[in-house]
Amino acid sequence: MKNNPRIRYSGNLGMHWSWSVVLSLSLVVLVALNFRISTNAGIVTLLFTCCYFVLILGVYLYYRPRILRGLVDFATSFGQKQEEILRQIELPVTIVSADGRILWMNDRLCELSKKPEDYDKNIATLFPELQQDTFPAAEWDKDVQVHYENMDFRAHVQRIVIDDLIDGTELISREARDGESSYFYIIYFLDETDLNRLRQENRDQRFAVALVDLDNYDEALEGVDEVHSSLISVLVDRQIMKYFTSYDCLPKKLEKDKYMVVFNRKSLDALMADHFSVLESVKTINIGNEVSITLSIGAGIGGKTYIENYEKARSAIEMALGRGGDQAVVNNASQMTFFGGKSQRNEQHTRVKARVKAQAMREIMITKNSVIAMGHRFMDMDSLGAAVGICRAARALGKPAHIVMGTETGSISQWLELLKESKDYKDGLFISHDQALAMTDESTAVIVVDTNRPSLLECGELLNRTDTVVVLDHHRQNTEKIENASLSYIEPSASSACEMIAEILQYFEENVRLRSLEADCMYAGILIDTNNFVAKTGARTFEAAAYLRRSGADITRVRKLLRDDMDSYKARAEAVRNAEIYMGAYAISILPPEGLKSPNVVGAQAANELLNIVGVRASFVLTDYENEIFISARSIDEANVQLVMEKLGGGGHISMAGAQLKGMKIEEARDKLKEILKQMTDEKLI
């Protein structure tokens, strides 16, 4: 039979009894010394020592059980007191197992949750935010924000390893697996309801400012008599004032077509939730005006001072106008949020801006030793034609000019060969990335065409080699843009970059004479971007085409060079045949890239073809090319595909846009596109 384990003193109590033994042994030594000095002294000391031994032994035997019993009683009382303190503490506390099951709750949590002490269900039944995957995965703390009956809590979750506790008892045992430890979680709930309320109140009262511009006030009142013109002005003013005052805003009219609005963050949140419906309501004002009036709104918030918020609002209104107007842009710190922008921007009939930009670009070119033109990656016909036009303008000023060329796409390969063989470019028109980097310095003007986003540039490093950067583009601006450009001319109402360059060339003081091949390139760029003068075509588009025809562009020659090969034609037909009509309005198809020189170009052509199907509001064609997923989006006038592509990191125009996705399969990209289309359709954003 196994003997009961002996109980030994330890710690401070054991040290106390040890010192008693040491003192007793000291007395024995003293007795021995006294006997050597004097027998009588030794006898007296011996008698004293015996009495001391008897007394100590009696005390030990008498108090030992009482001390042990007292220790047990103290430990029991102390443990009970601890549990009582934990139960009565005002802070809600619970202990849960590794799988989230409640093991113990204190009185405050029982009162809060209205559950009994023996409630042993999963903690997620009370606080859905506390799922098992939100618990700490190691011996550290973690805070989780939870909500319970209109109260906000910060749940402080602490993981407690109990290996030593389990190993030190014979009641239970554990089975270690792959070095895993046994543990439980203790959770403290810190009430942050009042703190969050104060935070929200502070946030709601933050100052915000907005600038409102009437995009086309003068154009809308052209041809309207004086009486109706005054009435339209009054109705527009009333519509704007009524809308903003209904959201506790303070609008102030600055000029006939400009307003400033002051409000707080709470009002801004309400305006954003309403998607700035004044953008649409003001268009309904029609009293003899043939052109609907549109608004642009730029709001700024998040700055530390009123001046910073005003600057943010000014930057936002510039972004809204640069994207074509008829939209609201909210600039919060470094993030911009866009609303509206569903309508096509009306073409500006005046060429004043084109003339001013042409003269400014000429002055820049004159002061520099060389010019380098650069488009976007995977250069298309519009980008090539615009770059060729820039080079001709620079050479007319006697400046050497080159075009940065990276990966050559099949859609422009024939044009590249003709340009390389041309006697006008014996010194070489196209240069590689390395050559461009070696040639670019402070005396070089880098002119970017057909894009305004640094991430899409053919060679973005060139921007860091010079302080003189010119941006010429017809795409709407996004939050990503080329900063600190010496000259920026972004005209979303233009059909193509080639149209913009054709206008600029006409205002150069020197007599810029385009060669026939150069005129062909620019004419082809306009032709492709307008889908044979069908999409985004205005009066200035035809005027630019007429200028190119006068410069020697041959329509028949251009048409021959733009013909497709049989593989491209079949692939385009296959994409149309396999198209899926999603939500009864959106045509989505996947183009197989096998055997195609430029799958992204064929995809864009297929997207144009899908618009010929009755009931299709917008078309989207996806293709896998160069380890990227290219999406070509097209519409006529019923959907804003630019907003859809911006959700995917792309951009473009209202009726013609695209995006490039990396790191995903084409099926994943298609599913993501469908998800965005459903969300934006439900929210009536497209």
Side-chain angles (χ1 to χ4, degrees):
M1 180 177 179
K2 184 177 179 181
N3 295 328
N4 292 330
R6 297 180 62 187
I7 299 177
R8 298 178 179 273
Y9 297 116
S10 62
N12 292 331
L13 189 58
M15 183 65 69
H16 169 74
W17 292 116
S18 299
W19 275 108
S20 299
V21 174
V22 171
L23 291 175
S24 300
L25 294 176
S26 300
L27 289 175
V28 173
V29 175
L30 181 61
V31 169
L33 292 175
N34 284 340
F35 267 108
R36 294 191 62 179
I37 298 172
S38 170
T39 303
N40 292 333
I43 293 173
V44 172
T45 307
L46 178 60
L47 291 174
F48 176 79
T49 301
C50 291
C51 293
Y52 176 77
F53 280 159
V54 172
L55 179 62
I56 289 298
L57 182 61
V59 170
Y60 175 74
L61 295 176
Y62 179 79
Y63 283 103
R64 181 175 182 273
R66 288 170 173 76
I67 291 174
L68 293 177
R69 186 166 55 252
L71 290 174
V72 173
D73 293 341
F74 175 77
T76 303
S77 301
F78 188 76
Q80 292 175 346
K81 200 64 177 177
Q82 279 185 317
E83 183 178 0
E84 183 180 350
I85 292 173
L86 285 175
R87 285 193 173 280
Q88 295 179 357
I89 194 172
E90 280 299 309
L91 192 67
V93 182
T94 183
I95 298 175
V96 300
S97 62
D99 59 358
R101 186 171 57 86
I102 297 175
L103 302 177
W104 176 86
M105 295 190 298
N106 71 341
D107 294 342
R108 182 69 181 90
L109 186 57
C110 291
E111 178 185 347
L112 176 68
S113 62
K114 300 179 179 63
K115 301 297 181 183
E117 295 180 6
D118 57 351
Y119 185 79
D120 61 350
K121 294 185 179 180
N122 196 286
I123 187 66
T125 60
L126 299 179
F127 304 97
E129 297 89 348
L130 292 175
Q131 300 292 335
Q132 190 171 359
D133 56 356
T134 63
F135 290 163
E139 294 184 51
W140 44 266
D141 304 341
K142 183 177 183 180
D143 290 335
V144 181
Q145 298 297 326
V146 299
H147 186 76
Y148 188 82
E149 294 186 354
N150 300 322
M151 299 180 69
D152 298 323
F153 293 94
R154 176 167 58 89
H156 183 75
V157 187
Q158 186 175 2
R159 176 170 168 163
I160 307 296
V161 177
I162 55 174
D163 291 351
D164 295 340
L165 179 62
I166 294 178
D167 294 339
T169 181
E170 297 181 359
L171 296 176
I172 58 177
S173 62
R174 65 185 181 92
E175 296 179 359
R177 293 180 301 174
D178 299 330
E180 292 183 359
S181 299
S182 299
Y183 55 88
F184 61 81
Y185 297 102
I186 182 168
I187 306 176
Y188 307 91
F189 295 90
L190 308 174
D191 190 352
E192 294 187 342
T193 305
D194 292 338
L195 179 61
N196 289 342
R197 177 179 57 81
L198 293 173
R199 284 175 176 170
Q200 185 63 36
E201 290 180 358
N202 180 57
R203 177 182 180 275
D204 291 343
Q205 295 304 319
R206 290 180 181 176
F207 170 82
V209 63
L211 299 175
V212 181
D213 280 13
L214 301 179
D215 300 330
N216 55 346
Y217 184 79
D218 293 331
E219 290 83 356
L221 296 184
E222 284 184 1
V224 180
D225 60 72
E226 187 174 345
V227 175
H228 286 85
S229 176
S230 300
L231 184 57
I232 291 172
S233 178
V234 171
L235 290 176
V236 171
D237 188 67
R238 180 176 179 273
Q239 186 79 23
I240 294 174
M241 294 292 184
K242 181 180 179 181
Y243 177 77
F244 283 108
T245 53
S246 66
Y247 286 96
D248 294 329
C249 304
L250 178 62
K252 176 66 176 177
K253 188 172 184 178
L254 303 178
E255 300 178 25
K256 64 178 182 179
D257 58 351
K258 288 180 173 55
Y259 299 79
M260 185 172 74
V261 186
V262 178
F263 45 88
N264 57 27
R265 181 58 186 263
K266 184 177 181 180
S267 297
L268 178 59
D269 290 340
L271 291 170
M272 294 172 68
D274 184 54
H275 298 290
F276 291 91
S277 60
V278 68
L279 296 171
E280 298 299 323
S281 61
V282 77
K283 297 178 187 177
T284 61
I285 298 176
N286 191 333
I287 306 179
N289 52 306
E290 297 180 358
V291 179
S292 297
I293 295 177
T294 60
L295 296 178
S296 289
I297 302 173
I301 195 171
K304 296 181 180 179
T305 64
Y306 295 162
I307 295 178
E308 287 186 15
N309 283 337
Y310 177 78
E311 291 299 324
K312 290 180 181 295
R314 195 163 60 86
S315 175
I317 194 68
E318 289 176 357
M319 175 65 73
L321 294 172
R323 288 165 56 86
D326 185 29
Q327 58 192 281
V329 179
V330 178
N331 187 357
N332 184 6
S334 59
Q335 179 183 5
M336 286 193 179
T337 308
F338 303 95
F339 300 88
K342 298 180 181 179
S343 63
Q344 179 69 48
R345 182 177 181 179
N346 293 325
E347 182 183 29
Q348 301 294 325
H349 297 293
T350 175
R351 290 191 178 186
V352 174
K353 183 184 289 188
R355 176 176 56 81
V356 172
K357 299 296 183 180
Q359 294 176 356
M361 191 172 73
R362 177 183 177 278
E363 294 299 324
I364 290 174
M365 287 184 176
I366 289 177
T367 60
K368 298 300 176 181
N369 294 334
S370 61
V371 174
I372 292 181
M374 173 173 56
H376 51 74
R377 290 184 293 116
F378 304 109
M379 182 176 283
D380 57 13
M381 202 62 235
D382 187 34
S383 181
L384 175 62
V388 167
I390 291 295
C391 289
R392 174 48 55 196
R395 297 194 176 208
L397 296 174
K399 306 294 181 179
H402 302 277
I403 300 174
V404 182
M405 177 60 64
T407 303
E408 297 184 7
T409 59
S411 61
I412 61 173
S413 58
Q414 296 184 71
W415 297 92
L416 295 177
E417 291 299 324
L418 292 174
L419 289 168
K420 291 176 182 179
E421 295 172 0
S422 174
K423 61 180 180 180
D424 294 319
Y425 300 109
K426 294 180 180 180
D427 56 342
L429 178 63
F430 301 101
I431 57 176
S432 65
H433 290 192
D434 293 337
Q435 290 174 317
L437 291 171
M439 295 171 56
T440 305
D441 53 28
E442 296 299 329
S443 63
T444 305
V446 175
I447 301 181
V448 177
V449 296
D450 201 30
T451 184
N452 57 68
R453 299 177 61 179
S455 62
L456 299 181
L457 291 178
E458 182 64 65
C459 184
E461 298 178 25
L462 292 182
L463 301 182
N464 301 323
R465 298 295 182 95
T466 180
D467 294 331
T468 307
V469 177
V470 178
V471 180
L472 305 172
D473 188 27
H474 67 116
H475 297 98
R476 286 187 170 192
Q477 284 184 291
N478 204 326
T479 53
E480 181 194 6
K481 60 181 180 179
I482 298 174
E483 302 290 347
N484 302 322
S486 301
L487 175 64
S488 181
Y489 182 22
I490 299 176
E491 186 55 69
S493 65
S495 68
S496 58
C498 287
E499 175 189 323
M500 296 174 62
I501 302 303
E503 286 187 347
I504 288 175
L505 293 180
Q506 297 177 64
Y507 290 105
F508 257 62
E509 291 186 8
E510 279 70 15
N511 186 17
V512 179
R513 297 183 60 84
L514 287 170
R515 307 300 187 264
S516 296
L517 180 56
E518 295 167 345
D520 286 347
C521 287
M522 297 181 67
Y523 189 89
I526 296 176
L527 202 65
I528 290 178
D529 268 29
T530 59
N531 192 20
N532 294 319
F533 296 102
V534 172
K536 284 184 60 44
T537 304
R540 291 170 65 174
T541 308
F542 289 107
E543 290 173 2
Y547 164 73
L548 296 175
R549 287 281 290 123
R550 292 195 301 270
S551 299
D554 189 320
I555 299 176
T556 303
R557 186 167 58 235
V558 170
R559 182 180 177 185
K560 287 181 178 180
L561 288 171
L562 291 179
R563 288 185 298 182
D564 295 325
D565 56 32
M566 183 59 71
D567 290 336
S568 298
Y569 195 89
K570 288 182 178 179
R572 185 167 67 247
E574 186 70 13
V576 174
R577 188 178 72 87
N578 295 327
E580 168 192 3
I581 305 300
Y582 180 64
M583 298 179 65
Y586 307 110
I588 302 176
S589 182
I590 295 178
L591 176 78
E594 291 78 13
L596 302 179
K597 295 180 180 179
S598 301
N600 53 332
V601 175
V602 179
Q605 295 171 347
N608 286 326
E609 291 290 336
L610 288 169
L611 290 180
N612 295 325
I613 300 174
V614 176
V616 173
R617 296 182 59 199
S619 60
F620 304 87
V621 176
L622 297 80
T623 183
D624 191 347
Y625 180 51
E626 296 286 341
N627 298 321
E628 291 186 61
I629 306 300
F630 285 78
I631 303 180
S632 295
R634 298 291 185 271
S635 68
I636 299 178
D637 61 352
E638 297 179 286
N640 188 338
V641 293
Q642 181 217 0
L643 298 179
V644 180
M645 292 297 99
E646 284 184 342
K647 292 284 186 180
L648 293 170
H653 299 285
I654 291 177
S655 59
M656 185 182 302
Q660 301 173 20
L661 306 179
K662 296 181 180 180
M664 67 173 60
K665 296 181 179 179
I666 197 165
E667 291 79 11
E668 297 173 345
R670 180 183 57 189
D671 294 340
K672 188 174 182 179
L673 172 63
K674 289 182 177 180
E675 180 182 343
I676 290 174
L677 286 173
K678 186 177 187 311
Q679 176 187 350
M680 296 185 71
T681 302
D682 293 342
E683 296 177 0
K684 298 181 179 180
L685 297 178
I686 56 174

